[in-house]
Amino acid sequence: MTALSYPEPVTVPARQARSVLLRTGDRVRITDVAGGQVGDVFAYNADDITEYHSAAHTRTHTSRLFPTLGEAFVTNRRRPILTYLDDTSPGTHDMLIAACDPERYAAYGDPGHASCAENLALAMAGHGYPALPHIPQPINVFMRIPVGADGDLSWFAAPTRPGDAITFRAEMDCLVVVSSCPQDHNVINGAGPSPLTLTVLPATTEEKIR
């Protein structure tokens, strides 16, 4: 894994994705610039992309629908990949809803619409992976999909305010892709898709050797 420097925040334009490479102990802060924007987060082992964050394995690991602060997201090999380190948002996130994809927008009668699945594929192609075998279940930061007592899911606008942020710590060298969700056929992105930013905070010496 090549060491990279991110002296400035990386802007994720509305409806697009950007990626960052993290070394173990590095942190990435995802900020909702305008408020009300969902981000689809994907995390891969930087040395072997057949290992990636798994929502199902994480739910098994934590016995929760979403980790609480200090808990880890784990991979399909049950190893920690990211830790939920800090959160200035209302703390409402999701790991049940699949990434939007071309098929979903075709069903809306909107073929050619941008999607998180395609955004992920484009980002990974830029890292030399032109054909992903499948699209993992993302960590849907800032997404508000409450589960009712009867098991029904509700779709609400993201409750974030401008500048709200969530921070993850890398527990292995990893490639993190974040898509500023382009969904505009329902209310999850409020008035419509808007940008996110990614700020990489390098690991301290203690974090590198822990």
Side-chain angles (χ1 to χ4, degrees):
M1 175 178 171
T2 302
L4 295 180
S5 175
Y6 299 93
E8 301 293 336
V10 175
T11 297
V12 185
R15 306 173 188 271
Q16 298 182 31
R18 294 293 185 270
S19 62
V20 290
L21 280 164
L22 304 179
R23 287 198 176 276
T24 303
D26 287 350
R27 287 153 288 157
V28 59
R29 183 170 64 231
I30 303 169
T31 303
D32 187 351
V33 177
Q37 175 62 42
V38 169
D40 283 38
V41 180
F42 305 88
Y44 292 86
N45 179 332
D47 299 313
D48 178 5
I49 69 160
T50 66
E51 183 175 19
Y52 48 83
H53 163 257
S54 167
H57 290 82
T58 298
R59 291 192 296 268
T60 302
H61 179 73
T62 62
S63 296
R64 297 170 53 86
L65 288 176
F66 198 89
T68 191
L69 284 171
E71 291 183 340
F73 298 81
V74 302
T75 71
N76 55 318
R77 297 177 190 166
R78 302 185 188 272
R79 299 198 302 158
I81 187 166
L82 296 172
T83 291
Y84 182 17
L85 197 62
D86 192 28
D87 199 345
T88 64
S89 80
T92 301
H93 312 285
D94 167 78
M95 287 199 311
L96 294 176
I97 302 302
C100 59
D101 51 35
E103 293 78 12
R104 182 161 177 79
Y105 293 108
Y108 286 133
D110 194 0
H113 193 286
S115 72
C116 289
E118 286 186 310
N119 286 346
L120 172 66
L122 286 170
M124 294 299 287
H127 287 277
Y129 304 106
L132 297 177
H134 79 290
I135 304 298
Q137 164 67 52
I139 303 166
N140 295 311
V141 297
F142 313 135
M143 192 173 188
R144 187 181 175 202
I145 307 290
V147 181
D150 57 1
D152 284 351
L153 301 178
S154 298
W155 299 70
F156 293 127
T160 39
R161 303 148 299 203
D164 280 351
I166 185 171
T167 302
F168 301 102
R169 183 180 64 223
E171 301 303 333
M172 64 174 68
D173 291 355
C174 60
L175 173 58
V176 174
V177 177
V178 179
S179 174
S180 181
C181 182
Q183 177 63 264
D184 54 11
H185 284 270
N186 63 33
V187 302
I188 63 166
N189 290 315
S194 58
L196 302 168
T197 61
L198 311 179
T199 304
V200 175
L201 306 167
T204 65
T205 301
E206 290 79 8
E207 287 169 324
K208 289 177 181 177
I209 63 176
R210 65 184 175 83

